[in-house]
Amino acid sequence: MTRAGRTRDDAAMTEREFRFGVVAGRAPSGAEWAATARRAEELGYDTILVPDTRNTFAPFPALAAAAAVTTSLHIGTYVVSAPNRAPGLVAWESETLQELSDGRFELGIGGGRPGAAEDAASLGADFGTPGERLDRVASTIEAVRKLENAPPVMVAASRPRMLRLAAAQADIVALGLPPQTTEPLLARTVSQLRDAAGERFDELELHLNVAAVAATVDAIPSWLSRMVGGDPRDMAWNGGIAFLVGSAERIADLLCRRREEFDVSYIGVSGLFMEQFAPVIKIIRG
């Protein structure tokens, strides 16, 4: 039996195809941003995903630029901080990107990452209480769902109330777990999502983010500490799920096992490691 309580034959029947995204948010110039998008498409990535922070490009125009220089690459927000924009504005921006990209847009939305309160204040937005942010996420999804050509919706979630909202309303669930999270906590989070979603669980696509890809733990750059909030090598040694270490074959086997055990089939990879992860895509896709 798998950890999800299914036989291996049952799991094989319901497993989703893998999708792979590049999480990127900035480049030194417009030409280099365009080159990043084209390279992601060339390497076989399915999506380019742009965070919503004051340290990155504004996601909607950056994604429009990426769509303009690619043909099959999907584009997505990872993820819009709901307090920063009114639901109607997000729906308008989403509708525009859906049309300009010929249907390649995916809206990712969440209640705000750590540090998002400062971003909201700098934009003149009211960050609000956790309950208010949850309501804003729900209102934004409602506004987007009313569009004639509504994009798929990804909801970033890790805590019970947001997991329940994602279970009921999302197409994709980005499991917003800290990089040092180990597989037992991943299993518990997926189990909570499964319980909340009930029969709808099989309709959900589950996403995990990768902070680093390296041949060995010692090869993980120490400068990642400021991005992951701690020593990335220690996190990797202790089984942090955001760190993929080993040969491409070993990483491919790990991701296939996680898909079988935890139903995670959508992998977002930091743009800093886009090239290092590309061989894994080739192996998985045969």
Side-chain angles (χ1 to χ4, degrees):
M1 298 288 286
T2 69
R3 294 190 191 185
R6 297 172 294 170
T7 66
R8 292 184 183 274
D9 288 343
D10 288 340
M13 290 175 63
T14 59
E15 280 175 349
R16 285 180 175 269
E17 292 292 324
F18 275 107
R19 287 207 300 153
F20 302 102
V22 171
V23 180
R26 186 168 287 280
S29 67
E32 290 177 79
W33 176 249
T36 297
R38 286 194 294 263
R39 182 60 175 160
E41 185 173 61
E42 181 181 292
L43 291 171
Y45 287 91
D46 299 284
T47 318
I48 188 166
L49 301 162
V50 177
D52 186 18
T53 81
R54 292 304 307 275
N55 297 318
T56 61
F57 289 141
F60 290 107
L63 291 170
V69 296
T70 56
T71 57
S72 62
L73 188 72
H74 282 227
I75 56 172
T77 52
Y78 186 73
V79 294
V80 165
S81 183
N84 292 353
R85 300 167 185 82
L89 176 59
V90 176
W92 182 28
E93 298 275 17
S94 297
E95 183 178 40
T96 300
L97 274 181
Q98 266 291 73
E99 293 187 14
L100 294 180
S101 68
D102 295 321
R104 289 184 281 146
F105 177 58
E106 301 173 5
L107 174 69
I109 187 166
R113 62 177 179 81
E118 289 78 9
D119 285 352
S122 71
L123 295 170
D126 180 9
F127 193 61
T129 65
E132 289 168 340
R133 297 197 302 275
L134 187 78
D135 289 344
R136 176 62 70 90
V137 171
S139 296
T140 302
I141 295 172
E142 181 181 8
V144 170
R145 293 292 195 203
K146 292 177 180 177
L147 299 175
E148 183 176 348
N149 184 23
V153 174
M154 170 194 283
V155 174
S158 61
R159 296 182 179 180
R161 287 196 296 174
M162 193 65 82
L163 283 170
R164 289 194 294 270
L165 187 150
Q169 300 190 30
D171 301 299
I172 308 159
V173 181
L175 299 170
L177 299 167
Q180 68 269 25
T181 298
T182 57
E183 287 193 350
L185 178 55
L186 170 62
R188 290 197 295 273
T189 304
V190 172
S191 179
Q192 288 179 320
L193 180 65
R194 176 183 289 277
D195 290 344
E199 293 182 358
R200 191 173 184 271
F201 182 80
D202 286 339
E203 300 175 20
L204 300 175
E205 183 177 35
L206 272 57
H207 175 284
L208 267 182
N209 195 48
V210 173
V213 182
T216 66
V217 170
D218 288 340
I220 297 174
S222 59
W223 48 257
L224 274 179
S225 60
R226 62 182 181 271
M227 299 180 183
V228 299
D231 187 329
R233 295 172 185 172
D234 282 349
M235 292 179 183
W237 274 120
N238 291 317
I241 57 175
F243 304 91
L244 300 179
V245 178
S247 66
E249 291 80 5
R250 180 177 177 180
I251 291 171
D253 287 344
L254 171 67
L255 294 180
C256 288
R257 178 180 63 78
R258 286 182 178 170
R259 180 178 64 172
E260 179 180 317
E261 295 186 4
F262 311 122
D263 294 282
V264 174
S265 60
Y266 190 2
I267 309 299
V269 180
S270 166
L272 299 170
F273 298 92
M274 176 173 68
E275 298 286 343
Q276 291 91 326
F277 186 80
V280 179
I281 298 177
K282 290 185 178 181
I283 290 169
I284 287 178
R285 291 188 169 153

